[in-house]
Structure formats: structure tokens, C-alpha cells
Amino acid sequence: MSTSTQSKYTVEYETNSGFRKTIESDFLILAIPYTAQRAITKSHNFDVKQEMAVRGVRYVEVTKVLLQYKKRWREKIFSENQQGFDGGLVTDLPIRYTMFPKTEGNSQITHSNRGVIMAAYTFEQDATILSALTPERRIQIAAENINRIFPKAKSLELLEAGASQCFPSDELAGGSAFCYFGPEQKTNYLTTMMETDWNDRAFFAGEQASFTHGWIQGAFEAGLRCVQQVVKAANKRPT
């Protein structure tokens, strides 16, 4: 990114096919994770405290594994134990945390007996361990862990498919899933992270630049704030 002309920003980017292209604009909104932003070259730095936030704010790695079954075996198991039909569990097995989606009133499952669960929701080192495996191995381990927890369900016989998302190896995410402030980082940096830079022409969106970091709600909040900031900055500019 550069400000090669006084009135425009010039952004150079590379397409999937390897071609380099440029685009010019009056304003710049950065809505990507700081971990990815650190790899972008700029013609000059942001404000010192803004740069400290971009380079130092803590992010967390996440790996998720989803499994699809021929039927929602968990409903019978949970019902027999009077535990409802949805919720989550925590385990010391490699999957660490499992989430069972809501079924009651869920229109997505009205015409199907199939069931999908987030079999593994792992963080930090647990996430990097799973992400180092092949996709097939990740699915296998998650399915076997679930079967170990609920042996009576014989869920391995019902398994149809699986998928996983490994943020540690996700280039566009910068290797991390979301912002997870370290000690005192929120106090020291959040206000600056939500401010404009480069003379009210650079703006910062993304869940990290919000009070609800770590959630899509935070991304919405930051996006709306940026819109308000851009409109305010544009109205100040001479016509």
C-alpha cells in the first residue's frame, strides 16, 4: 500500500493466477486480521501505537472438525440421560470441545434424519496438533474420539462425511482464527485500534477492532463504525 499521489491511495495486489494489479482510492479500509496485515508492505507506517497493536496484539489458533452422520444418534443418548438434545461437552481427548447444534425448531433438519456436529473445537497448541495431521486423519481421530465418549451409539457405523478448518495453515487468516487480547492489551490498544490513521483516510475494521472481538458480531460493529468514520471524513474534504 502506498500514497504515491496526494489525493489517492494506491494498493497493489496479486490475483490467484499470479497477476499483479493496482487500484486507487480516496480512502482505505483494512478489515483483515492483524496477523495477515503484518505481511503487507506499506509506504510508511501507521501511528506508533497503531503499529504496536498490529504487530503485538495476541491472536489464537483454532482447528475445527465437523462430522456428518446418517442419523442424529445423540438425540436418543441425551434423551435417555435426560440431557436435552443439544449443547456441548469438554474432554481431555484430542477433540477437546464438542458442540451439538440445536434440533428443536431447526428448519434445516425438518426433512432429514441426518445430523452434523462440531466434533472438535480446539485452541492454541491443541489446534496446531490437529492441523498438522492430514484431513483424513483429523476426521478419523474426531470420529473415534466421539465413539469413545458415546460407545453405545455406535456412531462410527453411522458416519457419512467430515470436514475441517485449520486456521494455523490458513494463509488469508494469517494463521490465526481471531483476536484474543493478552494481559492489558485491550486497555492499552483497543481505543487506538478503532481510531482512524493517515489523516483520517485509513480505517480499521475486523472483529479485533471492536468491543465484541472473537465474534462475527464484532466484525459487524467495526464495519458500521468504519462507515460512519468514512462518511464523516468525506464530508470534511473540500468538494
Side-chain angles (χ1 to χ4, degrees):
M1 300 180 295
S2 65
T3 52
S4 57
T5 64
Q6 188 175 2
S7 60
K8 299 284 185 181
Y9 279 118
T10 301
V11 177
E12 181 179 308
Y13 63 97
E14 186 174 304
T15 65
N16 290 333
S17 55
F19 292 103
R20 290 185 177 273
K21 296 187 176 183
T22 59
I23 187 172
E24 289 189 344
S25 178
D26 295 319
F27 301 106
L28 175 69
I29 298 177
L30 288 160
I32 59 177
Y34 283 171
T35 46
Q37 192 173 313
R38 292 167 195 165
I40 297 176
T41 301
K42 305 186 293 291
S43 60
H44 60 279
N45 290 334
F46 296 126
D47 175 80
V48 173
K49 199 168 184 179
Q50 187 75 257
E51 284 289 341
M52 291 174 65
V54 171
R55 299 178 186 184
V57 164
R58 178 172 175 254
Y59 273 72
V60 64
E61 301 83 12
V62 170
T63 294
K64 301 179 181 181
V65 181
L66 284 80
L67 300 178
Q68 177 177 300
Y69 296 93
K70 296 177 182 177
K71 67 177 183 180
R72 294 184 293 279
W73 52 264
R74 67 182 186 276
E75 293 181 354
K76 180 180 179 182
I77 300 294
F78 290 0
S79 179
E80 289 176 350
N81 292 278
Q82 299 181 336
Q83 294 177 323
F85 298 106
D86 48 51
L89 66 84
V90 178
T91 174
D92 58 358
L93 294 173
I95 57 174
R96 300 298 287 153
Y97 181 46
T98 300
M99 299 179 69
F100 301 96
K102 182 178 180 180
T103 55
E104 185 177 356
N106 187 346
S107 60
Q108 293 180 318
I109 61 173
T110 302
H111 304 293
S112 175
N113 291 322
R114 287 183 170 85
V116 176
I117 65 171
M118 185 179 294
Y121 194 174
T122 58
F123 297 84
E124 297 186 316
Q125 188 171 29
D126 292 319
T128 59
I129 291 171
L130 282 184
S131 69
L133 305 174
T134 64
E136 295 78 14
R137 182 63 174 153
R138 278 194 294 272
I139 293 169
Q140 178 186 354
I141 287 179
E144 290 176 348
N145 282 184
I146 293 294
N147 186 66
R148 182 176 177 182
I149 298 171
F150 302 102
K152 293 183 179 180
K154 297 182 179 180
S155 59
L156 287 177
E157 299 175 8
L158 302 171
L159 183 65
E160 283 189 323
S164 59
Q165 167 64 23
C166 302
F167 284 95
S169 58
D170 190 323
E171 179 183 3
L172 296 181
S176 298
F178 53 82
C179 173
Y180 200 83
F181 288 113
E184 298 191 18
Q185 284 189 335
K186 191 169 187 176
T187 299
N188 293 334
Y189 295 127
L190 183 57
T191 299
T192 300
M193 291 163 64
M194 295 190 293
E195 292 175 348
T196 64
D197 211 309
W198 286 354
N199 297 318
D200 290 336
R201 294 178 61 201
F203 308 87
F204 301 90
E207 51 81 22
Q208 71 273 9
S210 75
F211 289 103
T212 322
H213 60 91
W215 298 91
I216 193 171
Q217 174 66 21
F220 284 132
E221 292 174 4
L224 290 172
R225 171 183 48 76
C226 279
V227 169
Q228 294 172 334
Q229 290 174 324
V230 170
V231 170
K232 183 177 180 180
N235 288 334
K236 289 181 178 180
R237 300 191 73 192
T239 56

